[in-house]
Amino acid sequence: MSMPILRSTATVMALAILGSFTSQNQSAQKPTKPTDPLVPVHYTDIRKAAGISFVQDSTQTEEKYYLETMGTGVAWLDYDQDGLMDLYFVQSGATDAYKPSHPLRSALYHNNGDGTFTDVTQKAAVGGEGHYGQGVAVGDYDNDGFPDLYVTGYGRAILYHNNGDGTFTDVTAKANVADEGAWSTSAGWFDFDKDGWLDLVVTNYLDWSPKTNLWCGERAPGYRSYCNPGNYRGQKTKLYHNNHDGTFTDVSEKSGIGLPESKGMGLVLADFNGDGWPDIAIANDTWPNFFFENKHDGTFSDVSLISGLAASEDGRYEAGMGIDASDVDGDGLLDIYITHLDFELNRLYHNNGDGTFTDVTYSSGIGNKAILLSGVAAKFIDYDNDGWPDIVQANGAMVDNVNLYHSLVTYKEPLLMFHNLGHGHFEKTSDALGSDFNRPVAGRGLATADFFNDGQIGFAVNCRGDFPELLRNDAANANHWLEILPIGTKSNRDGIGAVMKLTTEGVVQIDQEKGGTSYMSASDPRVHFGLGKRSKIESLVITWPSGQVDKLTNVHADSIIAVKEGAGIVPHPFPKVRIR
């Protein structure tokens, strides 16, 4: 999250990138247009009609506390297991320089199944008053069938245990996961030792406090700005091992991931090398991105530099923020996308299958098409269900007076969509998605979900100092799809780490149930496949973390199914949302 005022060469570099784009793009392979025409998709912001009144408080003051600019995250979760995705917004809090007129709290909204949501925060007891929240991770850490909430924040984090009756209990102290004194941003659940219980990774950011807050920017009125993260030391990543009794043990140093200094912003947890064990990829801010390879013995190897993921193709450590992984080119391996600020590039790294990645930002067609946008959160979604993962991205400059330093850049920025033309070649299609999609906002956390249970993926965006966006996907429903909710038995209950291989009319698609993703946010746990015009499913093969392999052949397209490890498809409600 590097700040523009301290990048004196940014404009020169941008011009160089713009100039080189033409020559590099001319030599790039021309993408093959899909045989099927693009399905028209329009996004509509239904936040107000849905009854969501939450407002993120920027806590902004003239002191320009570094903490203020971060924004907060958002999560989709089915907290009551009624088959409908509910929504949780993380809130900020009071600071030494900012005393709000009323207590600030996070908010949990129950999905009513009719296009509206009800604020149930008070009953659920997940408001976190007095906590300066940052991000959120969702996972069933005790395997009781109900998802729990881990809310990161400045100074400490909170673990809310889901009691299964619409209420939660703060069990942070008992669980030993407070991350006390640190500045936690993103977090993710995964089972790194494959013992059937979810463990927790927490990314921490800077060693900053109000006492060490510096004056950055010009001394002229209105020009004070937030400082570059290079002014502060980074903190370190935490790994908490699940003891199976409601408590966790800090194994950060023992595992190896807590050894290097970090400036962590986002993470994705998945098996990147196909050995059946989950690895860790972390987007760091002006710092080498991390790639930790699972050694199968409770430890990880830091292969960040040799993996090719640590820096850009030209060796730069950029302002890494949002991160996600998906098989963009159909080779069965998860590729990685990382967002960066304006005058940098959002990077796409191709997974070479040998533990290394190649920066394919230009050859993929992404290039510098968003060079004036500050990318914050990003998620892979198949928004038109054509069978190829696309990229949706929330943007917004880090400082409200950015135009005083860069006249081409604005504070509020529209969302961004890169449409996958097939085999990992992308084109920008934002302009075709409607005025709500293109409305400028100070985007921060972003989480995706099929919150209408109709196979169309929408998303929620937590906007700094503003109402959030709740964008419904109004597609023409011309393509087929399938969604899978994994239920582990020998494996962790959420099935995180499960690999899914779907074969439809001879076409093979592979995805995983991943941990983390985006920026300080958590998305729909159901794995979504777009199928294009293919309606016949030959097989769905799920390889669970335990090693159990389930092959299903009785699967119908255009449906949401729950698959239980060792048992196959089991009954589970997924009611279609009917708008009143």
Side-chain angles (χ1 to χ4, degrees), residues 188-425:
W189 297 96
F190 76 149
D191 183 5
F192 78 91
D193 56 354
K194 301 208 296 185
D195 65 355
W197 297 78
L198 288 180
D199 311 300
L200 180 65
V201 183
V202 183
T203 62
N204 289 307
Y205 192 39
L206 299 181
D207 191 11
W208 171 95
S209 74
K211 293 180 180 179
T212 61
N213 195 56
L214 302 173
W215 182 297
C216 291
E218 298 179 22
R219 291 280 176 173
Y223 275 77
R224 184 174 183 177
S225 190
Y226 299 96
C227 295
N228 186 289
N231 288 279
Y232 303 96
R233 288 187 59 84
Q235 297 186 336
K236 294 185 177 182
T237 309
K238 288 291 184 70
L239 175 59
Y240 295 101
H241 177 259
N242 193 326
N243 299 326
H244 314 173
D245 60 0
T247 70
F248 292 77
T249 298
D250 185 341
V251 295
S252 308
E253 292 193 8
K254 178 183 177 182
S255 67
I257 75 164
L259 296 177
E261 182 181 346
S262 176
K263 297 181 180 181
M265 299 292 271
L267 79 167
V268 58
L269 311 169
D271 177 10
F272 290 100
N273 56 9
D275 65 355
W277 293 76
D279 310 301
I280 302 170
I282 296 176
N284 281 314
D285 188 3
T286 65
W287 201 256
N289 299 316
F290 289 159
F291 186 63
F292 294 105
E293 199 170 68
N294 196 322
K295 294 174 66 176
H296 314 172
D297 60 0
T299 68
F300 292 80
S301 291
D302 184 351
V303 295
S304 306
L305 292 174
I306 62 175
S307 73
L309 194 68
S312 65
E313 185 178 29
D314 51 358
R316 298 172 61 211
Y317 302 143
E318 298 174 305
M321 296 187 70
I323 186 171
D324 198 10
S326 188
D327 178 12
V328 303
D329 52 4
D331 64 358
L333 300 167
L334 295 183
D335 311 296
I336 293 177
Y337 183 79
I338 301 177
T339 68
H340 299 103
L341 294 193
D342 51 80
F343 298 105
E344 297 176 340
L345 301 182
N346 301 298
R347 300 283 176 178
L348 179 63
Y349 294 91
H350 175 261
N351 189 336
N352 300 319
D354 59 0
T356 68
F357 294 80
T358 299
D359 185 342
V360 294
T361 303
Y362 274 105
S363 60
S364 67
I366 290 173
N368 64 354
K369 293 177 181 175
I371 197 168
L372 296 180
L373 299 178
S374 289
V376 183
K379 275 286 295 174
F380 283 106
I381 61 169
D382 187 354
Y383 79 95
D384 59 349
N385 284 333
D386 67 353
W388 294 99
D390 313 301
I391 300 168
V392 62
Q393 180 173 309
N395 307 289
M398 293 298 106
V399 295
D400 58 324
N401 58 355
V402 65
N403 64 302
L404 297 178
Y405 293 95
H406 296 303
S407 60
L408 298 178
V409 177
T410 59
Y411 169 54
K412 294 185 177 182
E413 300 170 344
L415 300 174
L416 175 69
M417 185 74 79
F418 283 118
H419 178 248
N420 193 334
L421 299 173
H423 303 285
H425 296 282

Side-chain angles (χ1 to χ4, degrees), residues 6 39 140 172 176 180 188 243 249 287 356 420 439 493 514 567 578:
L6 295 180
V39 172
D140 181 4
T172 315
N176 190 38
E180 198 75 38
N243 299 326
T249 298
W287 201 256
T356 68
N420 193 334
R439 182 176 60 249
R493 180 65 164 66
K514 297 176 282 286
R578 307 296 181 185

